[in-house]
Amino acid sequence: MAQLYFRYGAMNSGKSIEVLKVAHNYEEQNKTVKIYTSGVDDRDGVGVISSRTGMRREATPIRQDTNIFEEIQAADEKIWCILIDEAQFLTKEHVIQLTKIVDELNIPVMTFGLKNDFMNQLFEGSRYLLLYAEKIEEIKTICWYCGKKAIMNLRMSDGKPVYEGEQIQIGGNESYFPVCRHHYFHPEIEEGRD
């Protein structure tokens, strides 16, 4: 039976490379997958999944008005699995569409994304994936400062932590650090940095 998966982790935990790995494993067996990513994330171009290791791949961007269920239902070929990167940017409606793909079309859906933002609030997509997914798995990484397990994302600007502002600000290592709870509240600030 198909299931809805939510694999979450802090920044820099290897979520995007995991999407690419799963796609490769299916395709090596000549099984078609459909890969999506958020239309919001434009770090490497809209509709591109890229990992910090340099791997990249084209994907279908999900926008506010995208109906993923209708796209998959209308597909001309058998799709063995749906893979979604940057799942935190999904809307509640998108997540409901994913449940319909699993329940009505019997196609597994694997989503990958952040659980919480830099203010330690759940993203909309993450909130509903935590509610509706049968399988929830954490992809672990370590704190930028100490090596403990990172469970939070620290936004930095000009060498200083930022704890409020717009929820979505696209960025990578220049803006966000995976951190443990202690270093979220007490980051190690480099002295003399403007």
Side-chain angles (χ1 to χ4, degrees):
M1 294 297 294
Q3 294 183 322
L4 175 58
Y5 295 79
F6 180 38
R7 292 185 172 169
Y8 70 89
M11 295 290 290
N12 233 355
S13 61
K15 298 176 297 297
S16 295
I17 200 164
E18 189 70 18
V19 172
L20 300 174
K21 181 182 89 173
V22 172
H24 171 77
N25 289 343
Y26 270 94
E27 291 168 343
E28 193 171 45
Q29 298 176 31
N30 295 315
K31 295 177 179 171
T32 301
V33 296
K34 182 72 175 173
I35 304 175
Y36 288 94
T37 191
S38 170
V40 173
D41 187 352
D42 60 359
R43 279 177 291 176
D44 203 18
V46 175
V48 175
I49 296 174
S50 60
S51 77
R52 287 174 177 80
T53 63
M55 296 175 64
R56 65 188 313 268
R57 180 168 175 165
E58 298 291 321
T60 302
I62 298 173
R63 304 188 192 285
Q64 285 288 110
D65 62 348
T66 301
N67 188 318
I68 309 165
F69 176 77
E70 287 180 358
E71 286 186 10
I72 298 305
Q73 190 176 39
D76 292 335
E77 59 186 325
K78 177 178 174 57
I79 296 175
W80 290 80
C81 185
I82 311 298
L83 301 168
I84 300 178
D85 196 24
E86 304 294 348
Q88 70 271 11
F89 297 133
L90 296 171
T91 64
K92 177 181 180 182
E93 291 76 24
H94 291 136
V95 174
I96 298 299
Q97 293 164 17
L98 299 180
T99 65
K100 289 177 64 178
I101 291 169
V102 170
D103 297 341
E104 297 176 25
L105 305 179
N106 198 32
I107 300 171
V109 177
M110 301 178 78
T111 65
F112 299 80
L114 299 172
K115 181 181 66 165
N116 42 305
D117 65 19
F118 76 102
M119 297 177 288
N120 271 326
Q121 302 295 315
L122 293 174
F123 284 95
E124 180 179 356
S126 304
R127 177 183 308 120
Y128 288 103
L129 285 165
L130 288 167
L131 288 171
Y132 288 107
E134 286 95 354
K135 297 282 188 179
I136 300 169
E137 301 169 359
E138 182 179 18
I139 300 173
K140 297 176 180 80
T141 192
I142 59 173
C143 176
W144 191 264
Y145 299 108
C146 70
K148 288 183 184 176
K149 184 171 103 170
I151 60 170
M152 298 178 181
N153 303 298
L154 180 65
R155 183 186 285 177
M156 299 290 277
S157 178
D158 296 323
K160 294 183 174 53
V162 178
Y163 296 103
E164 52 188 40
E166 291 294 319
Q167 183 181 50
I168 299 173
Q169 174 185 307
I170 304 302
N173 290 343
E174 78 287 349
S175 302
Y176 294 99
F177 298 142
V179 293
C180 66
R181 182 176 48 248
H182 172 77
H183 283 107
Y184 177 81
F185 293 109
H186 307 285
E188 296 175 10
I189 306 299
E190 292 181 33
E191 294 301 321
R193 192 170 178 185
D194 294 331

Coordinates of all heavy atoms in Angstrom, one line a residue, residues 6 88-89 113-128 130 151-155 162-168 184-185:
F6 N 6.9 12.1 5.3 CA 7.5 13.4 5.5 C 8.9 13.2 6.2 O 8.9 12.7 7.3 CB 6.6 14.2 6.4 CG 7.2 15.6 6.7 CD1 7.9 16.3 5.7 CD2 7.0 16.2 7.9 CE1 8.4 17.6 6.0 CE2 7.5 17.5 8.2 CZ 8.2 18.2 7.2
Q88 N 8.2 22.2 3.0 CA 7.7 23.2 4.0 C 6.9 24.3 3.4 O 6.0 24.9 4.0 CB 8.8 23.8 4.9 CG 9.7 24.7 4.1 CD 10.9 24.0 3.5 OE1 11.0 22.8 3.4 NE2 11.9 24.8 3.0
F89 N 7.1 24.5 2.1 CA 6.4 25.6 1.4 C 5.1 25.2 0.8 O 4.4 26.0 0.1 CB 7.3 26.2 0.3 CG 8.6 26.8 0.8 CD1 9.8 26.5 0.2 CD2 8.5 27.7 1.8 CE1 11.0 27.1 0.7 CE2 9.7 28.3 2.3 CZ 10.9 28.0 1.7
G113 N 11.6 18.3 3.7 CA 11.7 19.7 4.0 C 12.0 20.0 5.4 O 12.3 19.1 6.2
L114 N 12.0 21.3 5.7 CA 12.2 21.8 7.1 C 10.9 21.6 7.9 O 9.8 21.6 7.4 CB 12.5 23.3 7.1 CG 13.8 23.7 6.3 CD1 13.8 25.2 6.3 CD2 15.0 23.2 7.0
K115 N 11.1 21.3 9.2 CA 9.9 21.3 10.1 C 9.6 22.7 10.6 O 8.5 23.1 10.5 CB 10.2 20.3 11.2 CG 9.0 20.2 12.2 CD 9.4 19.2 13.3 CE 10.5 19.9 14.2 NZ 10.7 19.3 15.5
N116 N 10.6 23.4 11.1 CA 10.3 24.7 11.7 C 11.2 25.8 11.1 O 12.2 25.5 10.5 CB 10.6 24.6 13.2 CG 11.8 23.8 13.6 OD1 11.9 22.7 13.3 ND2 12.7 24.5 14.4
D117 N 10.7 27.0 11.2 CA 11.4 28.1 10.6 C 12.4 28.7 11.6 O 12.6 28.1 12.7 CB 10.4 29.2 10.1 CG 9.6 29.8 11.2 OD1 10.0 29.7 12.4 OD2 8.5 30.4 10.9
F118 N 13.0 29.8 11.3 CA 14.0 30.4 12.2 C 13.4 31.0 13.4 O 14.2 31.3 14.4 CB 14.8 31.5 11.4 CG 14.0 32.8 11.2 CD1 14.3 33.9 12.0 CD2 13.0 32.9 10.2 CE1 13.6 35.1 11.8 CE2 12.3 34.0 10.1 CZ 12.6 35.1 10.9
M119 N 12.1 31.2 13.5 CA 11.4 31.6 14.7 C 10.9 30.5 15.5 O 10.2 30.7 16.5 CB 10.3 32.6 14.3 CG 10.8 33.9 13.6 SD 9.4 34.9 13.1 CE 8.7 34.0 11.7
N120 N 11.2 29.3 15.1 CA 10.7 28.0 15.7 C 9.2 27.9 15.7 O 8.5 27.4 16.6 CB 11.2 27.9 17.2 CG 12.5 27.2 17.2 OD1 12.8 26.3 16.3 ND2 13.4 27.5 18.1
Q121 N 8.7 28.3 14.5 CA 7.3 28.1 14.2 C 7.2 27.1 13.1 O 8.1 27.0 12.2 CB 6.6 29.4 13.7 CG 6.7 30.5 14.7 CD 5.9 30.2 16.0 OE1 4.7 29.7 15.9 NE2 6.5 30.5 17.1
L122 N 6.2 26.2 13.1 CA 6.0 25.3 12.0 C 5.6 26.0 10.7 O 4.9 27.0 10.7 CB 4.9 24.3 12.3 CG 5.1 23.3 13.4 CD1 3.9 22.5 13.7 CD2 6.3 22.4 13.1
F123 N 6.2 25.6 9.6 CA 5.7 26.0 8.3 C 4.4 25.4 8.0 O 4.0 24.3 8.5 CB 6.7 25.6 7.2 CG 8.0 26.3 7.1 CD1 9.1 25.8 7.8 CD2 8.1 27.5 6.4 CE1 10.3 26.5 7.7 CE2 9.3 28.2 6.3 CZ 10.4 27.7 6.9
E124 N 3.6 26.0 7.2 CA 2.2 25.5 6.8 C 2.3 24.1 6.3 O 1.6 23.1 6.7 CB 1.5 26.4 5.8 CG 0.1 25.8 5.5 CD -0.6 26.7 4.5 OE1 -0.2 27.8 4.2 OE2 -1.7 26.3 4.1
G125 N 3.2 23.9 5.3 CA 3.3 22.5 4.7 C 3.8 21.5 5.7 O 3.2 20.4 5.8
S126 N 4.7 21.9 6.6 CA 5.2 20.9 7.6 C 4.1 20.6 8.6 O 4.0 19.4 9.0 CB 6.4 21.5 8.3 OG 7.4 21.9 7.4
R127 N 3.3 21.6 9.0 CA 2.3 21.3 10.0 C 1.3 20.3 9.4 O 1.0 19.3 10.2 CB 1.5 22.6 10.2 CG 0.3 22.5 11.2 CD -0.5 23.8 11.4 NE 0.4 24.9 11.7 CZ 0.5 26.0 11.0 NH1 -0.2 26.2 9.9 NH2 1.3 27.0 11.4
Y128 N 0.9 20.4 8.2 CA -0.1 19.5 7.7 C 0.5 18.2 7.3 O -0.1 17.1 7.4 CB -0.9 20.1 6.5 CG -1.8 21.2 7.1 CD1 -1.5 22.5 7.0 CD2 -3.0 20.8 7.8 CE1 -2.3 23.5 7.6 CE2 -3.8 21.7 8.4 CZ -3.5 23.1 8.3 OH -4.3 24.0 8.9
L130 N 2.9 16.8 9.1 CA 3.0 16.1 10.4 C 1.6 15.5 10.8 O 1.5 14.5 11.4 CB 3.5 17.1 11.5 CG 4.9 17.4 11.4 CD1 5.3 18.6 12.3 CD2 5.8 16.3 11.7
I151 N 18.4 20.8 15.9 CA 17.0 20.7 15.8 C 16.3 22.0 15.4 O 15.1 22.0 15.2 CB 16.4 20.2 17.1 CG1 16.7 21.1 18.3 CG2 16.9 18.7 17.4 CD1 15.9 20.8 19.5
M152 N 17.1 23.0 15.2 CA 16.6 24.4 14.9 C 17.4 25.0 13.8 O 18.5 24.6 13.5 CB 16.6 25.2 16.2 CG 15.7 24.7 17.3 SD 15.8 25.7 18.7 CE 14.7 24.8 19.8
N153 N 16.8 26.0 13.2 CA 17.5 26.8 12.1 C 17.7 28.2 12.6 O 16.7 28.9 12.9 CB 16.6 26.8 10.9 CG 16.3 25.4 10.4 OD1 17.2 24.6 10.1 ND2 15.0 25.0 10.5
L154 N 18.9 28.6 12.7 CA 19.3 30.0 13.1 C 19.5 30.9 11.9 O 20.4 30.6 11.1 CB 20.5 29.9 14.0 CG 21.0 31.3 14.6 CD1 20.0 31.9 15.5 CD2 22.3 31.1 15.3
R155 N 18.7 32.0 11.8 CA 19.0 32.9 10.7 C 20.0 34.0 11.2 O 19.9 34.5 12.3 CB 17.7 33.6 10.3 CG 17.9 34.6 9.2 CD 16.6 35.4 8.8 NE 15.6 34.6 8.1 CZ 14.4 35.1 7.8 NH1 14.1 36.3 8.1 NH2 13.6 34.3 7.2
V162 N 19.0 36.5 14.0 CA 17.7 37.2 13.8 C 16.6 36.3 14.2 O 16.6 35.1 13.9 CB 17.6 37.4 12.2 CG1 16.2 38.1 11.9 CG2 18.7 38.3 11.7
Y163 N 15.7 36.8 15.1 CA 14.6 36.0 15.7 C 13.2 36.4 15.3 O 12.3 35.9 15.7 CB 14.8 36.0 17.2 CG 16.0 35.4 17.7 CD1 17.1 36.1 18.1 CD2 16.2 34.0 17.7 CE1 18.3 35.6 18.6 CE2 17.3 33.4 18.1 CZ 18.4 34.2 18.6 OH 19.5 33.6 19.0
E164 N 13.1 37.5 14.4 CA 11.8 37.9 13.9 C 12.0 38.4 12.5 O 13.1 38.8 12.1 CB 11.1 38.9 14.9 CG 12.0 40.1 15.2 CD 11.3 40.9 16.3 OE1 10.8 40.3 17.3 OE2 11.4 42.1 16.2
G165 N 10.9 38.4 11.8 CA 10.9 39.0 10.5 C 10.0 38.1 9.6 O 9.2 37.3 10.1
E166 N 10.2 38.2 8.3 CA 9.4 37.4 7.3 C 9.8 36.0 7.4 O 11.0 35.7 7.5 CB 9.7 37.9 5.9 CG 9.1 39.3 5.6 CD 7.6 39.3 5.6 OE1 7.0 38.3 5.1 OE2 7.0 40.3 6.1
Q167 N 8.8 35.1 7.4 CA 9.1 33.7 7.6 C 10.0 33.1 6.4 O 10.9 32.4 6.7 CB 7.8 32.9 7.6 CG 8.0 31.4 7.9 CD 6.8 30.6 7.9 OE1 5.9 30.6 7.0 NE2 6.6 29.7 8.9
I168 N 9.7 33.6 5.2 CA 10.4 33.0 4.1 C 11.5 34.0 3.6 O 11.1 35.2 3.2 CB 9.5 32.7 2.9 CG1 8.5 31.6 3.4 CG2 10.2 32.2 1.7 CD1 7.4 31.3 2.4
Y184 N 20.9 27.9 19.6 CA 19.8 28.8 19.0 C 19.7 30.0 19.9 O 19.6 31.1 19.4 CB 18.5 28.0 18.9 CG 17.4 28.9 18.4 CD1 17.2 29.1 17.0 CD2 16.5 29.4 19.3 CE1 16.2 29.9 16.6 CE2 15.4 30.2 18.8 CZ 15.3 30.4 17.4 OH 14.3 31.2 17.0
F185 N 19.6 29.8 21.2 CA 19.5 30.9 22.1 C 20.8 31.6 22.5 O 20.8 32.8 22.9 CB 18.8 30.5 23.4 CG 17.3 30.0 23.1 CD1 17.0 28.7 23.2 CD2 16.4 31.0 22.8 CE1 15.7 28.3 23.0 CE2 15.1 30.6 22.6 CZ 14.7 29.2 22.7

